[in-house]
PDB file of all heavy atoms in Angstrom:
ATOM      1  N   ALA A   1     -36.611  16.311 -16.781  1.00 73.00           N
ATOM      2  CA  ALA A   1     -35.818  15.822 -17.885  1.00 73.00           C
ATOM      3  C   ALA A   1     -34.435  16.481 -17.909  1.00 73.00           C
ATOM      4  O   ALA A   1     -33.463  15.811 -18.189  1.00 73.00           O
ATOM      5  CB  ALA A   1     -36.544  16.039 -19.190  1.00 73.00           C
ATOM      6  N   ASN A   2     -34.408  17.765 -17.506  1.00 78.00           N
ATOM      7  CA  ASN A   2     -33.151  18.431 -17.485  1.00 78.00           C
ATOM      8  C   ASN A   2     -32.192  17.921 -16.447  1.00 78.00           C
ATOM      9  O   ASN A   2     -30.977  18.051 -16.555  1.00 78.00           O
ATOM     10  CB  ASN A   2     -33.389  20.004 -17.265  1.00 78.00           C
ATOM     11  CG  ASN A   2     -33.846  20.702 -18.478  1.00 78.00           C
ATOM     12  OD1 ASN A   2     -33.709  20.194 -19.614  1.00 78.00           O
ATOM     13  ND2 ASN A   2     -34.463  21.859 -18.280  1.00 78.00           N
ATOM     14  N   LEU A   3     -32.782  17.358 -15.429  1.00 79.00           N
ATOM     15  CA  LEU A   3     -31.973  16.765 -14.357  1.00 79.00           C
ATOM     16  C   LEU A   3     -31.670  15.259 -14.589  1.00 79.00           C
ATOM     17  O   LEU A   3     -30.572  14.857 -14.484  1.00 79.00           O
ATOM     18  CB  LEU A   3     -32.688  16.881 -12.995  1.00 79.00           C
ATOM     19  CG  LEU A   3     -31.958  16.324 -11.785  1.00 79.00           C
ATOM     20  CD1 LEU A   3     -30.697  17.103 -11.552  1.00 79.00           C
ATOM     21  CD2 LEU A   3     -32.868  16.319 -10.590  1.00 79.00           C
ATOM     22  N   ALA A   4     -32.665  14.540 -15.083  1.00 80.00           N
ATOM     23  CA  ALA A   4     -32.494  13.078 -15.254  1.00 80.00           C
ATOM     24  C   ALA A   4     -31.658  12.717 -16.432  1.00 80.00           C
ATOM     25  O   ALA A   4     -30.909  11.689 -16.384  1.00 80.00           O
ATOM     26  CB  ALA A   4     -33.833  12.452 -15.330  1.00 80.00           C
ATOM     27  N   LEU A   5     -31.742  13.471 -17.517  1.00 78.00           N
ATOM     28  CA  LEU A   5     -31.057  13.076 -18.727  1.00 78.00           C
ATOM     29  C   LEU A   5     -29.497  13.134 -18.563  1.00 78.00           C
ATOM     30  O   LEU A   5     -28.828  12.122 -18.934  1.00 78.00           O
ATOM     31  CB  LEU A   5     -31.450  14.027 -19.882  1.00 78.00           C
ATOM     32  CG  LEU A   5     -30.926  13.670 -21.252  1.00 78.00           C
ATOM     33  CD1 LEU A   5     -31.413  12.277 -21.670  1.00 78.00           C
ATOM     34  CD2 LEU A   5     -31.291  14.728 -22.284  1.00 78.00           C
ATOM     35  N   PRO A   6     -28.883  14.107 -18.005  1.00 79.00           N
ATOM     36  CA  PRO A   6     -27.447  14.108 -17.811  1.00 79.00           C
ATOM     37  C   PRO A   6     -27.024  13.012 -16.864  1.00 79.00           C
ATOM     38  O   PRO A   6     -25.980  12.347 -17.008  1.00 79.00           O
ATOM     39  CB  PRO A   6     -27.077  15.405 -17.254  1.00 79.00           C
ATOM     40  CG  PRO A   6     -28.177  16.371 -17.582  1.00 79.00           C
ATOM     41  CD  PRO A   6     -29.390  15.469 -17.683  1.00 79.00           C
ATOM     42  N   ILE A   7     -27.812  12.786 -15.809  1.00 81.00           N
ATOM     43  CA  ILE A   7     -27.440  11.679 -14.899  1.00 81.00           C
ATOM     44  C   ILE A   7     -27.479  10.315 -15.571  1.00 81.00           C
ATOM     45  O   ILE A   7     -26.601   9.437 -15.368  1.00 81.00           O
ATOM     46  CB  ILE A   7     -28.372  11.789 -13.648  1.00 81.00           C
ATOM     47  CG1 ILE A   7     -28.166  13.013 -12.816  1.00 81.00           C
ATOM     48  CG2 ILE A   7     -28.210  10.478 -12.829  1.00 81.00           C
ATOM     49  CD1 ILE A   7     -29.075  13.192 -11.658  1.00 81.00           C
ATOM     50  N   ALA A   8     -28.590  10.139 -16.404  1.00 79.00           N
ATOM     51  CA  ALA A   8     -28.693   8.808 -17.091  1.00 79.00           C
ATOM     52  C   ALA A   8     -27.524   8.661 -18.070  1.00 79.00           C
ATOM     53  O   ALA A   8     -26.924   7.564 -18.209  1.00 79.00           O
ATOM     54  CB  ALA A   8     -30.003   8.713 -17.825  1.00 79.00           C
ATOM     55  N   LEU A   9     -27.198   9.688 -18.860  1.00 76.00           N
ATOM     56  CA  LEU A   9     -26.067   9.580 -19.761  1.00 76.00           C
ATOM     57  C   LEU A   9     -24.739   9.298 -19.069  1.00 76.00           C
ATOM     58  O   LEU A   9     -23.923   8.529 -19.553  1.00 76.00           O
ATOM     59  CB  LEU A   9     -25.958  10.905 -20.618  1.00 76.00           C
ATOM     60  CG  LEU A   9     -26.975  11.069 -21.696  1.00 76.00           C
ATOM     61  CD1 LEU A   9     -26.867  12.416 -22.374  1.00 76.00           C
ATOM     62  CD2 LEU A   9     -26.877   9.958 -22.720  1.00 76.00           C
ATOM     63  N   ALA A  10     -24.527   9.987 -17.928  1.00 76.00           N
ATOM     64  CA  ALA A  10     -23.311   9.729 -17.257  1.00 76.00           C
ATOM     65  C   ALA A  10     -23.204   8.312 -16.685  1.00 76.00           C
ATOM     66  O   ALA A  10     -22.152   7.629 -16.711  1.00 76.00           O
ATOM     67  CB  ALA A  10     -23.187  10.717 -16.079  1.00 76.00           C
ATOM     68  N   ALA A  11     -24.376   7.760 -16.298  1.00 76.00           N
ATOM     69  CA  ALA A  11     -24.383   6.403 -15.812  1.00 76.00           C
ATOM     70  C   ALA A  11     -24.135   5.397 -16.889  1.00 76.00           C
ATOM     71  O   ALA A  11     -23.482   4.330 -16.699  1.00 76.00           O
ATOM     72  CB  ALA A  11     -25.646   6.116 -15.083  1.00 76.00           C
ATOM     73  N   LEU A  12     -24.625   5.618 -18.118  1.00 76.00           N
ATOM     74  CA  LEU A  12     -24.441   4.781 -19.225  1.00 76.00           C
ATOM     75  C   LEU A  12     -23.153   4.813 -19.861  1.00 76.00           C
ATOM     76  O   LEU A  12     -22.521   3.796 -20.265  1.00 76.00           O
ATOM     77  CB  LEU A  12     -25.567   4.973 -20.288  1.00 76.00           C
ATOM     78  CG  LEU A  12     -26.992   4.613 -19.861  1.00 76.00           C
ATOM     79  CD1 LEU A  12     -27.923   5.124 -20.911  1.00 76.00           C
ATOM     80  CD2 LEU A  12     -27.105   3.156 -19.613  1.00 76.00           C
ATOM     81  N   VAL A  13     -22.569   6.057 -20.062  1.00 72.00           N
ATOM     82  CA  VAL A  13     -21.393   6.284 -20.811  1.00 72.00           C
ATOM     83  C   VAL A  13     -20.107   6.170 -19.956  1.00 72.00           C
ATOM     84  O   VAL A  13     -19.014   5.678 -20.337  1.00 72.00           O
ATOM     85  CB  VAL A  13     -21.427   7.612 -21.516  1.00 72.00           C
ATOM     86  CG1 VAL A  13     -20.115   7.930 -22.215  1.00 72.00           C
ATOM     87  CG2 VAL A  13     -22.599   7.660 -22.459  1.00 72.00           C
ATOM     88  N   GLY A  14     -20.253   6.686 -18.705  1.00 69.00           N
ATOM     89  CA  GLY A  14     -19.041   6.779 -17.875  1.00 69.00           C
ATOM     90  C   GLY A  14     -18.533   5.454 -17.410  1.00 69.00           C
ATOM     91  O   GLY A  14     -19.286   4.571 -17.016  1.00 69.00           O
ATOM     92  N   GLY A  15     -17.213   5.349 -17.309  1.00 67.00           N
ATOM     93  CA  GLY A  15     -16.640   4.186 -16.802  1.00 67.00           C
ATOM     94  C   GLY A  15     -16.197   4.373 -15.382  1.00 67.00           C
ATOM     95  O   GLY A  15     -16.354   5.455 -14.833  1.00 67.00           O
ATOM     96  N   THR A  16     -15.759   3.292 -14.741  1.00 63.00           N
ATOM     97  CA  THR A  16     -15.273   3.437 -13.381  1.00 63.00           C
ATOM     98  C   THR A  16     -13.892   4.057 -13.334  1.00 63.00           C
ATOM     99  O   THR A  16     -12.987   3.677 -14.049  1.00 63.00           O
ATOM    100  CB  THR A  16     -15.256   2.051 -12.750  1.00 63.00           C
ATOM    101  OG1 THR A  16     -16.529   1.412 -12.909  1.00 63.00           O
ATOM    102  CG2 THR A  16     -14.941   2.184 -11.260  1.00 63.00           C
ATOM    103  N   ALA A  17     -13.738   5.027 -12.451  1.00 59.00           N
ATOM    104  CA  ALA A  17     -12.399   5.672 -12.257  1.00 59.00           C
ATOM    105  C   ALA A  17     -11.940   5.401 -10.854  1.00 59.00           C
ATOM    106  O   ALA A  17     -12.640   5.500  -9.937  1.00 59.00           O
ATOM    107  CB  ALA A  17     -12.559   7.166 -12.581  1.00 59.00           C
ATOM    108  N   TYR A  18     -10.664   5.036 -10.776  1.00 60.00           N
ATOM    109  CA  TYR A  18     -10.032   4.744  -9.434  1.00 60.00           C
ATOM    110  C   TYR A  18      -8.908   5.686  -9.265  1.00 60.00           C
ATOM    111  O   TYR A  18      -8.036   5.836 -10.101  1.00 60.00           O
ATOM    112  CB  TYR A  18      -9.496   3.317  -9.409  1.00 60.00           C
ATOM    113  CG  TYR A  18     -10.596   2.273  -9.479  1.00 60.00           C
ATOM    114  CD1 TYR A  18     -10.767   1.568 -10.661  1.00 60.00           C
ATOM    115  CD2 TYR A  18     -11.386   2.031  -8.462  1.00 60.00           C
ATOM    116  CE1 TYR A  18     -11.812   0.660 -10.810  1.00 60.00           C
ATOM    117  CE2 TYR A  18     -12.416   1.045  -8.570  1.00 60.00           C
ATOM    118  CZ  TYR A  18     -12.593   0.376  -9.679  1.00 60.00           C
ATOM    119  OH  TYR A  18     -13.542  -0.544  -9.850  1.00 60.00           O
ATOM    120  N   ALA A  19      -8.967   6.507  -8.164  1.00 59.00           N
ATOM    121  CA  ALA A  19      -7.975   7.443  -7.875  1.00 59.00           C
ATOM    122  C   ALA A  19      -6.675   6.718  -7.534  1.00 59.00           C
ATOM    123  O   ALA A  19      -6.626   5.701  -6.803  1.00 59.00           O
ATOM    124  CB  ALA A  19      -8.358   8.279  -6.683  1.00 59.00           C
ATOM    125  N   GLY A  20      -5.570   7.189  -8.161  1.00 62.00           N
ATOM    126  CA  GLY A  20      -4.345   6.555  -7.831  1.00 62.00           C
ATOM    127  C   GLY A  20      -3.979   5.360  -8.750  1.00 62.00           C
ATOM    128  O   GLY A  20      -2.859   4.822  -8.663  1.00 62.00           O
ATOM    129  N   ALA A  21      -4.931   4.899  -9.544  1.00 66.00           N
ATOM    130  CA  ALA A  21      -4.645   3.758 -10.335  1.00 66.00           C
ATOM    131  C   ALA A  21      -3.909   4.072 -11.675  1.00 66.00           C
ATOM    132  O   ALA A  21      -3.306   3.242 -12.330  1.00 66.00           O
ATOM    133  CB  ALA A  21      -5.958   3.011 -10.701  1.00 66.00           C
ATOM    134  N   ASP A  22      -4.018   5.375 -12.027  1.00 70.00           N
ATOM    135  CA  ASP A  22      -3.389   5.793 -13.261  1.00 70.00           C
ATOM    136  C   ASP A  22      -1.921   6.067 -13.079  1.00 70.00           C
ATOM    137  O   ASP A  22      -1.500   6.748 -12.139  1.00 70.00           O
ATOM    138  CB  ASP A  22      -4.037   7.081 -13.790  1.00 70.00           C
ATOM    139  CG  ASP A  22      -3.535   7.514 -15.172  1.00 70.00           C
ATOM    140  OD1 ASP A  22      -3.056   6.640 -15.857  1.00 70.00           O
ATOM    141  OD2 ASP A  22      -3.656   8.742 -15.454  1.00 70.00           O
ATOM    142  N   THR A  23      -1.049   5.538 -13.889  1.00 77.00           N
ATOM    143  CA  THR A  23       0.352   5.665 -13.753  1.00 77.00           C
ATOM    144  C   THR A  23       1.005   6.426 -14.900  1.00 77.00           C
ATOM    145  O   THR A  23       2.165   6.334 -15.223  1.00 77.00           O
ATOM    146  CB  THR A  23       1.062   4.322 -13.729  1.00 77.00           C
ATOM    147  OG1 THR A  23       0.771   3.549 -14.825  1.00 77.00           O
ATOM    148  CG2 THR A  23       0.606   3.596 -12.470  1.00 77.00           C
ATOM    149  N   THR A  24       0.165   7.274 -15.630  1.00 80.00           N
ATOM    150  CA  THR A  24       0.638   8.027 -16.782  1.00 80.00           C
ATOM    151  C   THR A  24       1.819   8.921 -16.455  1.00 80.00           C
ATOM    152  O   THR A  24       2.741   9.050 -17.196  1.00 80.00           O
ATOM    153  CB  THR A  24      -0.529   8.829 -17.361  1.00 80.00           C
ATOM    154  OG1 THR A  24      -1.550   7.945 -17.619  1.00 80.00           O
ATOM    155  CG2 THR A  24      -0.137   9.549 -18.606  1.00 80.00           C
ATOM    156  N   PHE A  25       1.676   9.647 -15.313  1.00 79.00           N
ATOM    157  CA  PHE A  25       2.734  10.715 -15.007  1.00 79.00           C
ATOM    158  C   PHE A  25       3.803  10.215 -14.027  1.00 79.00           C
ATOM    159  O   PHE A  25       4.553  11.016 -13.506  1.00 79.00           O
ATOM    160  CB  PHE A  25       2.010  11.959 -14.553  1.00 79.00           C
ATOM    161  CG  PHE A  25       1.095  12.580 -15.556  1.00 79.00           C
ATOM    162  CD1 PHE A  25      -0.262  12.467 -15.424  1.00 79.00           C
ATOM    163  CD2 PHE A  25       1.663  13.177 -16.642  1.00 79.00           C
ATOM    164  CE1 PHE A  25      -1.120  13.020 -16.357  1.00 79.00           C
ATOM    165  CE2 PHE A  25       0.854  13.777 -17.569  1.00 79.00           C
ATOM    166  CZ  PHE A  25      -0.556  13.693 -17.476  1.00 79.00           C
ATOM    167  N   ASN A  26       3.803   8.947 -13.732  1.00 82.00           N
ATOM    168  CA  ASN A  26       4.793   8.464 -12.753  1.00 82.00           C
ATOM    169  C   ASN A  26       6.234   8.706 -13.146  1.00 82.00           C
ATOM    170  O   ASN A  26       7.014   9.138 -12.320  1.00 82.00           O
ATOM    171  CB  ASN A  26       4.563   6.978 -12.417  1.00 82.00           C
ATOM    172  CG  ASN A  26       3.573   6.795 -11.339  1.00 82.00           C
ATOM    173  OD1 ASN A  26       3.140   7.723 -10.688  1.00 82.00           O
ATOM    174  ND2 ASN A  26       3.231   5.507 -11.112  1.00 82.00           N
ATOM    175  N   PRO A  27       6.587   8.464 -14.415  1.00 87.00           N
ATOM    176  CA  PRO A  27       7.991   8.757 -14.748  1.00 87.00           C
ATOM    177  C   PRO A  27       8.356  10.332 -14.601  1.00 87.00           C
ATOM    178  O   PRO A  27       9.470  10.620 -14.121  1.00 87.00           O
ATOM    179  CB  PRO A  27       8.094   8.429 -16.260  1.00 87.00           C
ATOM    180  CG  PRO A  27       7.012   7.412 -16.469  1.00 87.00           C
ATOM    181  CD  PRO A  27       5.941   7.851 -15.511  1.00 87.00           C
ATOM    182  N   ALA A  28       7.464  11.100 -14.999  1.00 85.00           N
ATOM    183  CA  ALA A  28       7.717  12.608 -14.841  1.00 85.00           C
ATOM    184  C   ALA A  28       7.724  12.924 -13.367  1.00 85.00           C
ATOM    185  O   ALA A  28       8.606  13.730 -12.934  1.00 85.00           O
ATOM    186  CB  ALA A  28       6.653  13.408 -15.549  1.00 85.00           C
ATOM    187  N   LEU A  29       6.908  12.510 -12.532  1.00 81.00           N
ATOM    188  CA  LEU A  29       6.874  12.745 -11.095  1.00 81.00           C
ATOM    189  C   LEU A  29       8.167  12.243 -10.441  1.00 81.00           C
ATOM    190  O   LEU A  29       8.741  12.907  -9.651  1.00 81.00           O
ATOM    191  CB  LEU A  29       5.651  12.046 -10.439  1.00 81.00           C
ATOM    192  CG  LEU A  29       5.576  12.224  -8.889  1.00 81.00           C
ATOM    193  CD1 LEU A  29       5.448  13.666  -8.527  1.00 81.00           C
ATOM    194  CD2 LEU A  29       4.429  11.347  -8.361  1.00 81.00           C
ATOM    195  N   THR A  30       8.596  11.076 -10.802  1.00 85.00           N
ATOM    196  CA  THR A  30       9.801  10.463 -10.240  1.00 85.00           C
ATOM    197  C   THR A  30      11.001  11.342 -10.654  1.00 85.00           C
ATOM    198  O   THR A  30      11.857  11.625  -9.776  1.00 85.00           O
ATOM    199  CB  THR A  30       9.994   9.012 -10.734  1.00 85.00           C
ATOM    200  OG1 THR A  30       8.841   8.269 -10.340  1.00 85.00           O
ATOM    201  CG2 THR A  30      11.232   8.412 -10.083  1.00 85.00           C
ATOM    202  N   MET A  31      11.112  11.702 -11.884  1.00 87.00           N
ATOM    203  CA  MET A  31      12.193  12.529 -12.332  1.00 87.00           C
ATOM    204  C   MET A  31      12.238  13.906 -11.662  1.00 87.00           C
ATOM    205  O   MET A  31      13.308  14.350 -11.198  1.00 87.00           O
ATOM    206  CB  MET A  31      12.174  12.767 -13.874  1.00 87.00           C
ATOM    207  CG  MET A  31      13.332  13.420 -14.440  1.00 87.00           C
ATOM    208  SD  MET A  31      13.328  13.498 -16.247  1.00 87.00           S
ATOM    209  CE  MET A  31      11.986  14.698 -16.488  1.00 87.00           C
ATOM    210  N   PHE A  32      11.071  14.550 -11.526  1.00 84.00           N
ATOM    211  CA  PHE A  32      10.985  15.836 -10.885  1.00 84.00           C
ATOM    212  C   PHE A  32      11.357  15.733  -9.397  1.00 84.00           C
ATOM    213  O   PHE A  32      12.041  16.586  -8.816  1.00 84.00           O
ATOM    214  CB  PHE A  32       9.628  16.433 -11.070  1.00 84.00           C
ATOM    215  CG  PHE A  32       9.454  17.910 -10.643  1.00 84.00           C
ATOM    216  CD1 PHE A  32      10.131  18.885 -11.339  1.00 84.00           C
ATOM    217  CD2 PHE A  32       8.689  18.155  -9.534  1.00 84.00           C
ATOM    218  CE1 PHE A  32       9.952  20.223 -10.841  1.00 84.00           C
ATOM    219  CE2 PHE A  32       8.544  19.471  -9.107  1.00 84.00           C
ATOM    220  CZ  PHE A  32       9.194  20.480  -9.780  1.00 84.00           C
ATOM    221  N   THR A  33      10.804  14.729  -8.709  1.00 83.00           N
ATOM    222  CA  THR A  33      11.073  14.558  -7.313  1.00 83.00           C
ATOM    223  C   THR A  33      12.525  14.305  -7.081  1.00 83.00           C
ATOM    224  O   THR A  33      13.142  14.798  -6.134  1.00 83.00           O
ATOM    225  CB  THR A  33      10.245  13.349  -6.752  1.00 83.00           C
ATOM    226  OG1 THR A  33       8.904  13.671  -6.977  1.00 83.00           O
ATOM    227  CG2 THR A  33      10.432  13.176  -5.283  1.00 83.00           C
ATOM    228  N   ASP A  34      13.110  13.406  -7.869  1.00 85.00           N
ATOM    229  CA  ASP A  34      14.590  13.091  -7.763  1.00 85.00           C
ATOM    230  C   ASP A  34      15.437  14.384  -8.012  1.00 85.00           C
ATOM    231  O   ASP A  34      16.405  14.624  -7.286  1.00 85.00           O
ATOM    232  CB  ASP A  34      15.059  12.022  -8.706  1.00 85.00           C
ATOM    233  CG  ASP A  34      14.418  10.661  -8.330  1.00 85.00           C
ATOM    234  OD1 ASP A  34      13.996  10.534  -7.162  1.00 85.00           O
ATOM    235  OD2 ASP A  34      14.459   9.778  -9.196  1.00 85.00           O
ATOM    236  N   PHE A  35      14.999  15.200  -8.968  1.00 85.00           N
ATOM    237  CA  PHE A  35      15.730  16.456  -9.229  1.00 85.00           C
ATOM    238  C   PHE A  35      15.682  17.369  -8.001  1.00 85.00           C
ATOM    239  O   PHE A  35      16.707  17.925  -7.599  1.00 85.00           O
ATOM    240  CB  PHE A  35      15.146  17.108 -10.482  1.00 85.00           C
ATOM    241  CG  PHE A  35      15.657  18.487 -10.739  1.00 85.00           C
ATOM    242  CD1 PHE A  35      16.990  18.539 -11.316  1.00 85.00           C
ATOM    243  CD2 PHE A  35      14.973  19.605 -10.406  1.00 85.00           C
ATOM    244  CE1 PHE A  35      17.447  19.871 -11.558  1.00 85.00           C
ATOM    245  CE2 PHE A  35      15.509  20.868 -10.718  1.00 85.00           C
ATOM    246  CZ  PHE A  35      16.699  21.032 -11.291  1.00 85.00           C
ATOM    247  N   LEU A  36      14.532  17.546  -7.466  1.00 82.00           N
ATOM    248  CA  LEU A  36      14.409  18.482  -6.321  1.00 82.00           C
ATOM    249  C   LEU A  36      15.109  17.893  -5.060  1.00 82.00           C
ATOM    250  O   LEU A  36      15.640  18.747  -4.244  1.00 82.00           O
ATOM    251  CB  LEU A  36      12.888  18.791  -5.974  1.00 82.00           C
ATOM    252  CG  LEU A  36      12.217  19.716  -6.948  1.00 82.00           C
ATOM    253  CD1 LEU A  36      10.808  19.966  -6.513  1.00 82.00           C
ATOM    254  CD2 LEU A  36      12.950  21.069  -7.030  1.00 82.00           C
ATOM    255  N   GLU A  37      15.079  16.634  -4.867  1.00 81.00           N
ATOM    256  CA  GLU A  37      15.708  16.076  -3.620  1.00 81.00           C
ATOM    257  C   GLU A  37      17.181  15.976  -3.862  1.00 81.00           C
ATOM    258  O   GLU A  37      17.908  15.807  -2.843  1.00 81.00           O
ATOM    259  CB  GLU A  37      15.053  14.697  -3.346  1.00 81.00           C
ATOM    260  CG  GLU A  37      13.693  14.843  -2.793  1.00 81.00           C
ATOM    261  CD  GLU A  37      13.060  13.456  -2.534  1.00 81.00           C
ATOM    262  OE1 GLU A  37      13.604  12.425  -3.041  1.00 81.00           O
ATOM    263  OE2 GLU A  37      12.065  13.389  -1.791  1.00 81.00           O
ATOM    264  N   GLY A  38      17.683  16.027  -5.088  1.00 83.00           N
ATOM    265  CA  GLY A  38      19.102  15.774  -5.332  1.00 83.00           C
ATOM    266  C   GLY A  38      19.790  17.092  -5.635  1.00 83.00           C
ATOM    267  O   GLY A  38      19.669  18.082  -4.910  1.00 83.00           O
ATOM    268  N   SER A  39      20.541  17.100  -6.759  1.00 84.00           N
ATOM    269  CA  SER A  39      21.303  18.268  -7.134  1.00 84.00           C
ATOM    270  C   SER A  39      20.494  19.489  -7.464  1.00 84.00           C
ATOM    271  O   SER A  39      20.913  20.594  -7.200  1.00 84.00           O
ATOM    272  CB  SER A  39      22.220  17.887  -8.328  1.00 84.00           C
ATOM    273  OG  SER A  39      21.476  17.530  -9.394  1.00 84.00           O
ATOM    274  N   GLY A  40      19.279  19.307  -8.036  1.00 84.00           N
ATOM    275  CA  GLY A  40      18.454  20.408  -8.306  1.00 84.00           C
ATOM    276  C   GLY A  40      18.078  21.254  -7.081  1.00 84.00           C
ATOM    277  O   GLY A  40      18.127  22.456  -7.161  1.00 84.00           O
ATOM    278  N   GLY A  41      17.713  20.540  -6.036  1.00 83.00           N
ATOM    279  CA  GLY A  41      17.372  21.248  -4.818  1.00 83.00           C
ATOM    280  C   GLY A  41      18.586  22.037  -4.222  1.00 83.00           C
ATOM    281  O   GLY A  41      18.364  23.178  -3.717  1.00 83.00           O
ATOM    282  N   LYS A  42      19.756  21.469  -4.339  1.00 84.00           N
ATOM    283  CA  LYS A  42      20.958  22.110  -3.876  1.00 84.00           C
ATOM    284  C   LYS A  42      21.250  23.405  -4.714  1.00 84.00           C
ATOM    285  O   LYS A  42      21.626  24.424  -4.199  1.00 84.00           O
ATOM    286  CB  LYS A  42      22.145  21.198  -3.907  1.00 84.00           C
ATOM    287  CG  LYS A  42      21.994  20.077  -2.859  1.00 84.00           C
ATOM    288  CD  LYS A  42      23.151  19.114  -2.983  1.00 84.00           C
ATOM    289  CE  LYS A  42      22.892  17.960  -2.026  1.00 84.00           C
ATOM    290  NZ  LYS A  42      23.899  16.897  -2.214  1.00 84.00           N
ATOM    291  N   ILE A  43      21.105  23.238  -6.039  1.00 87.00           N
ATOM    292  CA  ILE A  43      21.305  24.429  -6.883  1.00 87.00           C
ATOM    293  C   ILE A  43      20.316  25.487  -6.632  1.00 87.00           C
ATOM    294  O   ILE A  43      20.649  26.648  -6.551  1.00 87.00           O
ATOM    295  CB  ILE A  43      21.184  23.976  -8.412  1.00 87.00           C
ATOM    296  CG1 ILE A  43      22.357  23.087  -8.743  1.00 87.00           C
ATOM    297  CG2 ILE A  43      21.123  25.159  -9.298  1.00 87.00           C
ATOM    298  CD1 ILE A  43      22.275  22.420 -10.137  1.00 87.00           C
TER     299      ILE A  43
END
């Protein structure tokens, strides 16, 4: 039961997650990358 219960709960409650499908931090990543590749990197 200690092994099966967490596995069953994870299967019932957990949704499908796809790596790379989340775009939450794309604006911050783009801004930081542009900063380092541009004037920020030179500074």
Side-chain angles (χ1 to χ4, degrees):
N2 282 343
L3 180 65
L5 187 62
I7 292 174
L9 284 174
L12 291 173
V13 176
T16 305
Y18 297 102
D22 186 23
T23 59
T24 304
F25 297 106
N26 274 353
L29 175 65
T30 303
M31 187 174 69
F32 188 68
T33 303
D34 290 344
F35 174 76
L36 285 180
E37 289 178 342
S39 60
K42 292 176 185 172
I43 291 171

